[in-house]
Amino acid sequence: MSEAPLLEVRDLSLSVKTDAGPARILDHVDFDIRPGEIFGIVGESGCGKSTLAKTVLGLPPRNSVIDSGRVMFRGENLFELSRRQTARRLRGGTMGFIPQDPFQSFNPTFTIGKQMLEILRWSGLPEDPEGRPFGRADRKRHRDRLIEVLSAVQIPDPAEALDRYPHQFSGGQRQRILIAGALAARPGLILADEPTTALDVTTQMQILKLLRDLAAEYDVAMMFVTHDFGVVAQICDRVSVMYAGQTVETGTAADIIDNPRHPYTEKLIGCHPERSGNLVGIPGKVSSPIDPPMGCRFHPRCALAERRCSEVRPPLEGPAGGRRIACHVRGAAS
Ligand code: SF4
């Protein structure tokens, strides 16, 4: 695995305008993803992880403003592209997206083939593996590519599946079809937004194994958004833990799960009974992004909080690409 980052998110802050004032949804977020790795973004609901994924994809929320930072993909600053360039270059040809809900993500009145062909046309594939132009009119080659990716995600009789409607597939099969759609345009990075949350546990395990296998087979990196450290343990190489819009800890998934340093990470892992041995909640609730607490945003819920925690924001410290922690008490400099 190459060490040069595929995606670099640096000091990214984003606010959304609301009637009550600006809500800082992302606050100095910082991480990178290397080619071929599966990188988890983990945190509670409302921590900003889905907004982060959509912003990286070029679809920030309406009424949002980038307050600071940049998102670099293959060395190119995505914030310097026009919306049209972003749509063409990111959605499809260079980045794929797997949405959360396989039941809501299809139009029930069109066949699977028609909807997947739209994705391919929209993404504007430049060429096929032999270097031939992949033009808009080339329906047969597009269709062949869709059959190839449906086969890769183990949809039975993929040619026939293209002519069927969404309701003729189970939830697990629909999620596999969405994964095929994300793969179809040969992206370098796939963003997956809680892609197994709507599925039963057995199907979830199958989909996670499939994603892991496909990432290796197609050499595609993934940014995997989840609230569940059990999912992180199964699929992620490295992980970034987010709390209230801030990155609080990053490192390898195995290292963080075995030895969480940040008090929030520790609590979040404690919420998973298979990891902690019993079910322990996190007292309090995530702070409002409109009026966040001073200093460390976790301090109203933290048992280790000291006076400085409510006064000074702890920086994210540690070696670039290694274990990094934002905590006055447990951080690298403590
Ligand atoms: Fe807790 Fe202070 Fe660390 Fe924040 S900086 S997590 S309040 S100990």
Side-chain angles (χ1 to χ4, degrees), residues 262-264 296-306 308-310 312 314 326-331:
H262 194 282
Y264 174 66
C296 172
R297 287 189 171 186
F298 189 57
H299 85 255
R301 306 172 77 184
C302 181
L304 302 184
E306 302 175 349
R308 58 181 167 164
C309 300
S310 60
V312 181
C327 177
H328 291 307
V329 176
R330 295 271 187 82

